[in-house]
Amino acid sequence: MTRETLLDLAKQFSNLNIKAITISGGGEPCLNPYLPEFLKELQKSNIKYGIITNGTYMNKYLLNTLVKGEYVRFSLYTDTTPQQFYSTIKNLRALVNLKNKLKTNCIMGVGLLIDTTDYIRTSQIIEELNKINISYMSFRPKEYLNR
């Protein structure tokens, strides 16, 4: 979405007295360079927000804006590449550390899509997540059409 579209949406949400939104789907929302500016506009209007992200693409400016929201849910997949996994873990850890530093109430969790054919990888991921002190983990099995 363009900067103008996002800022217009924030204005419309405010005019409609929207109380809260969830940002998700249609690709990775954190790739939009205007997301932090959009979130700041929501903050100005006291609109609460949460985001669902794969957590791979984040910078300090985005982290500082996300941590002021209601929640951030990181979507993880047990069959992700090690590079994607460790990028997500690094960003999740940075966000939790920032939350603790700024003393915000942002809830941070992980939705884990489990490849039911690889339980060892699942347990390794859970062990790694337990070290970070997130708020919650949810689990969903990855379904295969041709079992």
Side-chain angles (χ1 to χ4, degrees):
M1 258 185 229
T2 66
R3 177 180 182 273
E4 293 74 25
T5 300
L6 284 172
L7 295 180
D8 187 53
L9 278 172
K11 186 176 182 179
Q12 287 180 48
F13 292 160
S14 179
N15 291 341
L16 292 168
N17 204 26
I18 300 293
K19 302 294 182 210
I21 67 165
T22 296
I23 302 162
S24 69
E28 173 52 41
C30 293
L31 284 174
N32 190 309
Y34 309 112
L35 181 64
E37 189 175 1
F38 172 68
L39 297 177
K40 285 188 178 289
E41 288 301 311
L42 295 177
Q43 291 170 11
K44 288 178 189 175
S45 298
N46 293 316
I47 298 171
K48 297 176 188 239
Y49 58 86
I51 190 165
I52 300 171
T53 175
N54 66 24
T56 306
Y57 309 100
M58 295 191 175
N59 58 44
K60 288 181 183 181
Y61 185 57
L62 179 59
L63 290 170
N64 276 298
T65 311
L66 290 176
V67 77
K68 295 172 184 156
E70 292 297 302
Y71 70 91
V72 179
R73 192 196 86 193
F74 288 77
S75 297
L76 270 176
Y77 309 91
T78 56
D79 60 353
T80 191
T81 67
Q83 181 182 1
Q84 288 172 319
F85 174 75
Y86 286 109
S87 179
T88 299
I89 293 298
K90 178 184 131 218
N91 288 327
L92 179 55
R93 188 175 283 119
L95 197 58
V96 169
N97 289 340
L98 187 59
K99 171 192 171 178
N100 293 336
K101 180 181 175 184
L102 298 177
K103 297 181 178 13
T104 71
N105 294 320
C106 186
I107 296 168
M108 288 167 219
V110 171
L112 187 59
L113 185 64
I114 298 171
D115 183 341
T116 56
T117 63
D118 188 0
Y119 293 105
I120 294 170
R121 176 96 169 117
T122 300
S123 64
Q124 291 168 341
I125 289 172
I126 292 170
E127 285 178 31
E128 192 68 33
L129 290 171
N130 277 330
K131 296 175 189 175
I132 301 175
N133 194 29
I134 57 176
S135 303
Y136 71 90
M137 278 185 251
S138 64
F139 305 93
R140 293 185 340 258
K142 182 176 178 182
E143 297 293 328
Y144 295 96
L145 297 176
N146 299 320
R147 286 196 223 193

